[in-house]
Amino acid sequence: MAQYTGRGVHGQTVEIIAGRILAGEIAEGSTINLAALQAELDISLTVMREALKVLTAKGLVDARPKRGTFVRPRAAWNLLDADVIRWQFAGGADASLLDQLHEVRAIMEPAAARLAAARATDDDLAALDAALAQMADAQDDPAAAVAADLNFHRALLHAAHNEWLERMKVVMETGLAERDKLVHGAQHHDDPVPSHQAVVAAIRARDAAAAERAMGDLLDKAAQDVDHVRKQKDTR
């Protein structure tokens, strides 16, 4: 599903309601008092209706005669939707969300690296090299470092030349961007270039086992970086 790009009052309304649902402030199964919410947010009925359409499409809410608009069970939420992922992080996601992201990456990305070693084209290798160069140039610029890392992992999934795997980039990019903001925004973090460079070197050498192993090592390092940031926060 395409990422929601609403702006203005409409966009703000979507963000507020989604945030409250994901934070549990509006509980699963509860009926939403639309009149009270409309008055609180000081919005028109049209804005409210349009916002609910967006949230309905993402599986967060639904409406039934006599029951009204209600929050659907979490099992019905489109948790792979880029906006739903982003909203969870924006609400101060707990450690389990990052842990689950790491588990998904550990399943997907080593396999993608293995496939890339067999299938990557010259253009794919050029894209990976460009991302590495961007990463090296980022230095102490957190925003540039995040962009470079996203470009690398986007290029890796593309180099696997599996359409289903590549479609997962929307999920990966959203979660990875939030994870990268946490790590690259920290005062101290290791140089990410060598670990990423090892993956590219193995892909270029057409060594599938080495590429898979290098990607696994990179992810182990990524998990360590997150743990380091967590410990820093705990000691403050």
Side-chain angles (χ1 to χ4, degrees), residues 17 82 85 92 134 137:
I17 300 174
I85 296 171
Q134 185 183 5
D137 291 341

Side-chain angles (χ1 to χ4, degrees), residues 6 9 18-19 22 34 42 47 53 64 66 73 82-83 87 94 107 115 125 138 140 166 176 185 201 205 218 221 233:
V9 176
L22 291 167
L34 297 183
D42 192 22
V47 168
K53 284 181 182 179
R64 291 286 184 274
K66 298 183 180 180
D83 289 314
W87 289 332
D94 58 28
I107 293 168
L115 291 174
L125 290 170
D140 295 325
E166 188 172 4
L176 184 57
L218 187 159
K221 180 180 178 300
K233 287 187 173 184

Side-chain angles (χ1 to χ4, degrees), residues 87-173:
W87 289 332
Q88 288 184 86
F89 276 103
D94 58 28
S96 67
L97 191 60
L98 282 172
D99 291 339
Q100 289 180 62
L101 171 64
H102 177 73
E103 289 171 356
V104 170
R105 293 183 68 195
I107 293 168
M108 291 174 50
E109 293 197 274
R114 172 177 280 276
L115 291 174
R119 301 174 179 175
T121 65
D122 289 343
D123 286 343
D124 293 327
L125 290 170
L128 288 166
D129 287 338
L132 283 175
Q134 185 183 5
M135 201 175 293
D137 291 341
Q139 297 296 330
D140 295 325
D141 183 342
V146 171
D149 196 47
L150 289 175
N151 284 339
F152 179 90
H153 293 278
R154 186 182 297 119
L156 175 68
L157 291 179
H158 181 74
H161 291 280
N162 179 303
E163 285 187 334
W164 286 20
L165 189 57
E166 188 172 4
R167 292 298 175 91
M168 290 298 292
K169 71 182 181 181
V170 174
V171 177
M172 293 288 295
E173 287 175 0

Side-chain angles (χ1 to χ4, degrees), residues 41-63:
L41 301 180
D42 192 22
I43 56 175
S44 69
L45 182 58
T46 298
V47 168
M48 176 64 77
R49 285 173 174 168
E50 291 302 314
L52 292 175
K53 284 181 182 179
V54 173
L55 298 175
T56 298
K58 296 179 184 297
L60 298 181
V61 303
D62 202 353

Side-chain angles (χ1 to χ4, degrees), residues 190-205:
D190 295 332
D191 181 1
V193 174
S195 57
H196 289 73
Q197 208 163 36
V199 176
V200 178
I203 291 173
R204 180 171 274 109

